[in-house]
Amino acid sequence: MIISPTPIIYGLIFLAVLFLVEGIYLVVFGKSISLNNKVNRRLDLLEKGGQREQVLEQLRKEASQHLKAKGIPLYSILATKAQKANIAFSPKALMGVMALLSAIAFLGLRIGTATSLPVQVALGVVMGVGAVYLWISKKAKKRMDLVEEQLPDAVELMVRSLRVGHPFASAIQIVAKEVPDPLGSEFGMIADESSYGRDVAESLKDLAERMDMQDLRFLAVAVTIQQQSGGNLAEILDGLAKVIRARFRLFRRVRAITAEAKWSGVFLSSFPLVVLVVIQLLKPDYFDTVKDTEAFVPAALVVFVFLAINIVFMKMMVNIKV
């Protein structure tokens, strides 16, 4: 039995590029961008001697820089997820990282494989861009999950603050001090903007649009209606907190119920690709008798198109939104 090392080399190079992205990010920004710190990043920057105006400007720039660069053709596939992940890299720096990783992947393919130069270049670009895309997607999912988990507690904290007599702006500031990232820094920006004269409801609307999160839109609408029509904001937010928490529990329940279907979809989508890799490892000459025929390339393209359609439909079938 002859085992071909080429697929293994491809996989190792891609994993190396994927880990290199996180390494570069940690080297440049250290632990200041970690979501596991008890003290949120805004307070950490203020404690290190940063001026309030400078910290606000830095956080606002990071919060909006990726959506502003959405018009760049290649970057458009990353802009929305990079915005949700709040990647501290600027769009130019992130594109530079993609170029660097593509070059490193190309060098690895050049040294470790004997494929043709065009194939090596194409695979290098795919690996560089794909590694950054997967890394950003993971960061975005982790951050959005944390926001969804923190939001009910943050709203309840505002309710308690309002009930003891604090104004709404002070309730926002309390959340900014007591809640860790990612929500702590976001509400800290709202508190700072409110101090400089911006309407809190407008800041909440911007936050909801940047996060693309329905619960935050509910919060912004509730505050806006209370400002225009009056009423007991504490009672409104208390009801909203209960609704958000109920939706969160329902979402977790639906995710548990659909876990089997999702894993079945993942298995059915990945099984043909796994079989292809196993064939290439155990019998590299399996396709030698047909790969030189005229129908091989069109047939292979059709198969991969159907595989892509299968993955999309499987994801649509098991992606249940609450």
Side-chain angles (χ1 to χ4, degrees):
M1 181 184 296
I2 300 175
I3 298 179
S4 174
T6 303
I8 299 176
I9 293 174
Y10 288 160
L12 291 176
I13 292 174
F14 182 73
L15 288 176
V17 171
L18 189 60
F19 285 118
L20 190 58
V21 184
E22 182 70 20
I24 294 173
Y25 200 55
L26 291 176
V27 168
V28 175
F29 297 103
K31 295 183 178 180
S32 63
I33 40 77
S34 175
L35 296 177
N36 299 322
N37 296 334
K38 293 183 178 179
V39 178
N40 63 59
R41 186 166 177 239
R42 170 179 167 271
L43 293 179
D44 188 46
L45 292 173
L46 291 173
E47 289 178 358
K48 290 180 180 178
Q51 296 296 323
R52 190 176 182 183
E53 298 87 347
Q54 295 174 350
V55 172
L56 175 61
E57 184 64 27
Q58 179 181 347
L59 294 177
R60 289 183 66 182
K61 181 181 178 181
E62 292 176 1
S64 60
Q65 60 183 349
H66 297 289
L67 286 182
K68 291 180 179 179
K70 199 172 182 179
I72 302 175
L74 180 61
Y75 194 76
S76 60
I77 62 175
L78 301 172
T80 302
K81 288 186 177 295
Q83 190 64 57
K84 291 181 179 180
N86 198 30
I87 300 298
F89 277 133
S90 66
K92 291 183 179 179
L94 200 55
M95 293 185 69
V97 170
M98 285 192 289
L100 175 63
L101 294 177
S102 298
I104 293 174
F106 169 74
L107 289 176
L109 292 169
R110 193 70 177 166
I111 295 172
T113 64
T115 54
S116 61
L117 181 61
V119 174
Q120 290 174 346
V121 171
L123 286 176
V125 173
V126 170
M127 287 183 179
V129 177
V132 173
Y133 182 82
L134 290 178
W135 174 72
I136 289 177
S137 298
K138 181 181 177 181
K139 291 280 186 182
K141 185 178 185 305
K142 180 181 179 181
R143 189 167 184 267
M144 294 302 295
D145 288 345
L146 282 173
V147 170
E148 290 179 351
E149 188 174 346
Q150 289 176 330
L151 187 58
D153 294 331
V155 176
E156 289 177 350
L157 182 57
M158 286 189 286
V159 170
R160 292 193 293 269
S161 301
L162 292 171
R163 283 177 173 170
V164 297
H166 291 292
F168 185 62
S170 298
I172 293 287
Q173 292 177 356
I174 292 173
V175 173
K177 291 180 181 179
E178 298 297 331
V179 177
D181 276 339
L183 207 56
S185 291
E186 295 290 350
F187 272 80
M189 291 169 56
I190 295 174
D192 290 340
E193 290 173 348
S194 175
S195 300
Y196 292 116
R198 191 182 186 190
D199 183 56
V200 175
E202 291 295 328
S203 298
L204 286 171
K205 288 179 183 178
D206 287 347
L207 174 61
E209 293 303 320
R210 280 192 285 108
M211 292 286 190
D212 191 22
M213 187 173 171
Q214 194 64 34
D215 292 335
L216 283 171
R217 291 191 180 98
F218 291 157
L219 176 60
V221 170
V223 174
T224 302
I225 292 174
Q226 192 275 336
Q227 286 180 346
Q228 295 175 355
S229 304
N232 191 334
L233 183 58
E235 293 298 326
I236 295 173
L237 295 184
D238 184 44
L240 178 61
K242 292 177 181 177
V243 171
I244 294 174
R245 197 175 293 280
R247 290 181 74 248
F248 185 71
R249 288 198 300 266
L250 179 60
F251 177 77
R252 288 291 181 90
R253 184 177 179 183
V254 170
R255 187 162 63 179
I257 293 173
T258 60
E260 181 181 358
K262 288 185 177 181
W263 279 109
S264 298
V266 170
F267 174 78
L268 293 174
S269 299
S270 60
F271 181 74
L273 299 176
V274 173
V275 170
L276 179 61
V277 171
V278 171
I279 290 175
Q280 289 298 308
L281 287 174
L282 300 181
K283 193 172 179 59
D285 58 345
Y286 183 79
F287 294 105
D288 286 353
T289 56
V290 295
K291 70 179 182 180
D292 293 328
T293 62
E294 295 181 356
F296 179 74
V297 174
L301 292 176
V302 170
V303 169
F304 279 105
V305 167
F306 276 111
L307 283 175
I309 295 174
N310 168 69
I311 293 173
V312 171
F313 272 91
M314 283 290 180
K315 187 172 182 181
M316 291 172 60
M317 290 172 63
V318 300
N319 185 22
I320 300 175
K321 294 184 179 181
V322 180

